[in-house]
Amino acid sequence: MSVPEDEERLLPLAQRWPRASKFLLSGCAATVAELATFPLDLTKTRLQMQGEAALARLGDSARDSAPYRGMVRTALGIVQEEGFRKLWQGVTPAIYRHIVYSGGRMVTYEHLREVVFGKTEDKHYPLWKSVIGGMMAGVVGQFLANPTDLVKVQMQMEGKRKLEGKPLRFRGVHHAFAKILAEGGIRGLWAGWVPNIQRAALVNMGDLTTYDTVKHYLVLNTPLEDNIMTHGLSSLCSGLVASILGTPADVIKSRIMNQPRDKQGRGLLYKSSTDCLIQAVQGEGFMSLYKGFLPSWLRMQSGWITQNETQHSVF
């Protein structure tokens, strides 16, 4: 039954525009989490670029100039060599990215859950629907956010380029968008979108499947109840599985986005995500696909609160 117009005006904004409210709340929560954990993301990206075998084709000495370092030593190296504030280099496009990605993903997921799939007669939302809906929502959100992700990755590597004596590519965020658009057109803003949405699908699949499976098991087979402790343990496991599944695609995505390009905006190192995968494994070994795994996993855990209240509500 529809609510009379006069009564509708008295309702809270969250009830009058539920999806718009969810989008805004998700974006705000993502922004706070982004600022707090961005140094982990920067460290992850720097680790993913170290020892890039394909650079040898261009005669680039960067592959040998950066020693292999762990997460802590890489972060300390950034502070010592570039300054403490550089731990947040690229945070502005990262915030743009999370507002678009998180908001788009949550709204899409809610629409799929309530309208497309729907719940069963007993008001239960099956796990398989949650997994498919989560994957589709992640793909949509990531595709929409790809331009901001592209700028973020390239800006995160600007400090390293300066240390290597290379010219900086951008003067700021808006200059980065304008330059990429001018050199590669609209398609240039979606460079690396294939491994990007592959990562989103894999991360959401591993996250949702593991989270709900672990939570069901803990509630049904242990003294734990459906509380913050159960949510935390489930999130810890789901984040681990999601990182294991998604890190290889993340490495490939970052390298494709950061590769040098010709005047037409075409990549000089990789023809496709498959080519990047082959070159990485052949030149650096299989475990090169898991560079930056630890900071990626640690950062993923920080977002469990905002995710649990929206996506993880099937049990």
Side-chain angles (χ1 to χ4, degrees):
M1 184 174 63
S2 62
V3 180
E5 185 176 347
D6 292 339
E7 294 184 14
E8 184 178 354
R9 292 176 181 175
L10 300 176
L11 293 175
L13 291 178
Q15 295 182 23
R16 293 168 62 185
W17 299 296
R19 288 198 173 91
S21 299
K22 187 175 288 292
F23 183 95
L24 292 174
L25 289 173
S26 178
C28 291
T31 299
V32 173
E34 187 68 33
L35 289 170
T37 64
F38 189 77
L40 287 172
D41 188 72
L42 177 67
T43 303
K44 175 204 71 174
T45 301
R46 293 290 181 89
L47 287 170
Q48 289 174 340
M49 302 301 180
Q50 286 195 24
E52 197 169 359
L55 290 173
R57 296 207 333 254
L58 298 181
D60 198 322
S61 60
R63 181 188 176 193
D64 300 319
S65 64
Y68 284 90
R69 299 181 291 189
M71 179 184 73
V72 175
R73 291 187 60 192
T74 298
L76 290 176
I78 294 172
V79 173
Q80 294 170 355
E81 297 166 359
E82 305 171 43
F84 179 76
R85 292 178 60 185
K86 292 300 182 181
L87 287 173
W88 280 269
Q89 187 170 39
V91 71
T92 301
I95 291 174
Y96 294 164
R97 182 257 179 195
H98 267 278
I99 291 174
V100 176
Y101 172 71
S102 297
R105 181 184 62 172
M106 297 305 174
V107 171
T108 302
Y109 184 79
E110 288 291 312
H111 178 76
L112 291 172
R113 183 174 65 177
E114 302 298 332
V115 179
V116 178
F117 292 125
K119 295 185 178 182
T120 59
E121 294 182 358
D122 60 353
K123 303 301 181 180
H124 177 66
Y125 194 62
L127 178 59
W128 70 268
K129 289 185 178 181
S130 178
V131 172
I132 294 176
M135 290 177 64
M136 293 175 64
V139 166
V140 171
Q142 192 64 74
F143 181 80
L144 294 174
N146 196 83
T148 56
D149 217 354
L150 175 67
V151 172
K152 181 200 73 170
V153 169
Q154 293 195 10
M155 291 191 70
Q156 285 178 326
M157 296 303 296
E158 288 293 86
K160 192 63 178 176
R161 288 176 62 87
K162 186 176 182 180
L163 290 176
E164 294 170 353
K166 299 177 181 178
L168 298 181
R169 292 173 288 192
F170 314 119
R171 296 191 299 270
V173 178
H174 298 101
H175 178 242
F177 279 108
K179 185 177 180 180
I180 294 172
L181 184 61
E183 294 178 349
I186 293 294
R187 292 183 60 183
L189 291 172
W190 269 266
W193 71 272
V194 174
N196 213 3
I197 65 170
Q198 289 173 341
R199 175 191 175 275
L202 291 169
V203 165
N204 278 276
M205 179 183 69
D207 181 24
L208 283 165
T209 306
T210 306
Y211 183 93
D212 286 306
T213 301
V214 172
K215 191 169 77 167
H216 273 273
Y217 178 83
L218 292 175
V219 172
L220 296 177
N221 298 281
T222 71
L224 293 175
E225 299 179 355
D226 188 1
N227 52 28
I228 190 170
M229 177 64 72
T230 304
H231 288 208
L233 292 173
S234 302
S235 178
L236 188 68
C237 295
S238 66
L240 177 61
V241 173
S243 296
I244 291 173
L245 292 176
T247 296
D250 195 26
V251 171
I252 294 170
K253 175 264 296 184
S254 296
R255 292 187 173 191
I256 289 178
M257 288 182 168
N258 188 61
Q259 68 175 322
R261 299 182 179 275
D262 60 19
K263 294 181 179 180
Q264 287 72 43
R266 293 173 297 192
L268 298 177
L269 297 179
Y270 310 112
K271 299 177 181 178
S272 64
S273 56
T274 303
D275 182 42
C276 182
L277 172 66
I278 293 173
Q279 289 196 53
V281 174
Q282 289 181 344
E284 306 162 52
F286 177 79
M287 291 309 296
S288 66
L289 299 177
Y290 283 90
K291 289 180 178 180
F293 173 82
L294 182 57
S296 178
W297 177 40
L298 292 176
R299 191 165 189 259
M300 193 170 292
Q301 302 309 312
S302 66
W304 75 271
I305 295 179
T306 57
Q307 293 178 16
N308 290 347
E309 298 305 319
T310 52
Q311 277 187 312
H312 300 139
S313 56
V314 297
F315 180 66

